[in-house]
Amino acid sequence: MKEKKIIAMDLDGTITQHRTEVGDENKAVLEKLAEKYRLMIVGAGVCMRIWKQLKNFPIDIIGCYGMQFAKYNYEKETLEIVYSDKVECDRDSVNQRTDVLRKQFGYTEYAGESVDFHESGAVTIALLGTKAKIEDKLAFDPTREKRRPMYDTVIDMFPDYNVFIGGSSSFDMAPAPYNKYYALDRFCREEGYTHDDVVFIGDDYGIGGNDESVYKSDFDFITVDDYKNLAKAVECLL
């Protein structure tokens, strides 16, 4: 691995448990890395939510698969949005295609809405519905064995989106061309870095994972299969 200038990281599953604040041990790891590298998060959520999960740690953040970018202002000790892209979403078309998908695979009963439409234009197909109980969502498909057989079909039905197997019960879809590879490549072009300057750290690099596009690219990649093992995974960088 060539000498790096940027460490780009996934958040959930890599640095923290899903949707939980960073723990003291991994926060200390980030502090050590920050002494040597420029750090940034490349996540699926919005920048401010990611920053809150990191307990306002001084770090740059790419959110929404590259639809949002925020830089940390060290003088003001705050995160400042640089850009926030939005793409128009044809909700009727997405709902119609989702109905066909549900009938094909037998997910015709759900709580709340079938699809969660995000302000950015990204979409979440909630197989159990937007108002399903959290315990039901977590128990539905933690190994993704129920959704992987559907994955190619979802891709074929939504060619205008990049599709990811999200959480334990959904498909996350970012308007094309947005994904984490696109986000990192755009960052490098706009900030004057090469791909060789960057190493990415992530856990969701398998088929349908939202880190897969980076894992299969020319960016160097360090895999983390459990956020509790982050310190060991980054020893080579320290």
Side-chain angles (χ1 to χ4, degrees):
M1 189 179 294
K2 297 179 181 179
E3 186 173 348
K4 301 301 176 183
K5 299 177 182 178
I6 305 288
I7 297 179
M9 296 167 281
D10 173 56
L11 178 61
D12 288 351
T14 301
I15 299 174
T16 72
Q17 179 62 278
H18 290 270
R19 297 285 180 141
T20 61
E21 291 186 340
V22 62
D24 291 341
E25 182 176 347
N26 280 353
K27 187 177 180 182
V29 172
L30 295 180
E31 290 169 348
K32 288 182 180 179
L33 291 172
E35 294 175 3
K36 188 176 180 182
Y37 306 94
R38 180 177 177 182
L39 305 185
M40 64 186 313
I41 298 295
V42 186
V46 297
C47 292
M48 287 302 178
R49 180 183 71 76
I50 291 172
W51 194 44
K52 183 178 180 181
Q53 254 184 278
L54 291 169
K55 298 179 181 176
N56 298 355
F57 186 84
I59 195 169
D60 297 334
I61 299 174
I62 295 175
C64 300
Y65 301 107
M67 301 187 77
Q68 225 180 49
F69 178 47
K71 284 186 177 181
Y72 185 78
N73 186 318
Y74 285 87
E75 290 185 2
K76 297 181 180 179
E77 297 185 342
T78 188
L79 198 67
E80 297 180 344
I81 300 294
V82 176
Y83 63 77
S84 187
D85 297 344
K86 294 183 181 180
V87 175
E88 191 70 25
C89 176
D90 186 341
R91 296 192 177 197
D92 289 339
S93 174
V94 170
N95 278 323
Q96 289 169 8
R97 285 180 279 176
T98 301
D99 287 344
V100 173
L101 182 73
R102 286 184 176 279
K103 290 175 182 177
Q104 181 174 341
F105 289 96
Y107 294 103
T108 54
E109 295 184 6
Y110 49 88
E113 299 297 327
S114 174
V115 178
D116 191 6
F117 294 97
H118 305 287
E119 185 179 355
S120 63
V123 170
T124 299
I125 298 177
L127 290 180
L128 301 185
T130 57
K131 293 186 177 180
K133 295 179 180 178
I134 186 63
E135 56 267 28
D136 292 338
K137 291 181 180 181
L138 293 174
F140 175 71
D141 188 27
T143 63
R144 303 185 176 184
E145 61 187 27
K146 295 179 181 178
R147 286 170 294 162
R148 282 202 179 99
M150 303 171 60
Y151 183 58
D152 287 343
T153 302
V154 180
I155 290 174
D156 290 342
M157 293 181 68
F158 293 92
D160 43 340
Y161 290 87
N162 285 318
V163 180
F164 315 102
I165 303 174
S168 296
S169 63
S170 64
F171 289 98
D172 294 334
M173 305 197 303
Y178 294 99
N179 61 25
K180 291 188 178 182
Y181 172 81
Y182 174 85
L184 269 183
D185 178 66
R186 177 179 178 179
F187 169 80
C188 287
R189 286 186 281 107
E190 294 182 353
E191 297 282 327
Y193 294 100
T194 69
H195 289 198
D196 285 338
D197 290 328
V198 182
V199 59
F200 187 89
I201 304 172
D203 74 308
D204 199 9
Y205 53 88
I207 295 174
N210 63 37
D211 298 329
E212 182 189 14
S213 62
V214 184
Y215 181 71
K216 294 170 68 174
S217 76
D218 59 333
F219 284 105
D220 283 324
F221 195 110
I222 294 175
T223 60
V224 176
D225 294 318
D226 187 334
Y227 72 97
K228 297 175 184 176
N229 297 329
L230 178 66
K232 183 174 180 61
V234 302
E235 283 179 351
C236 61
L237 298 171
L238 294 171

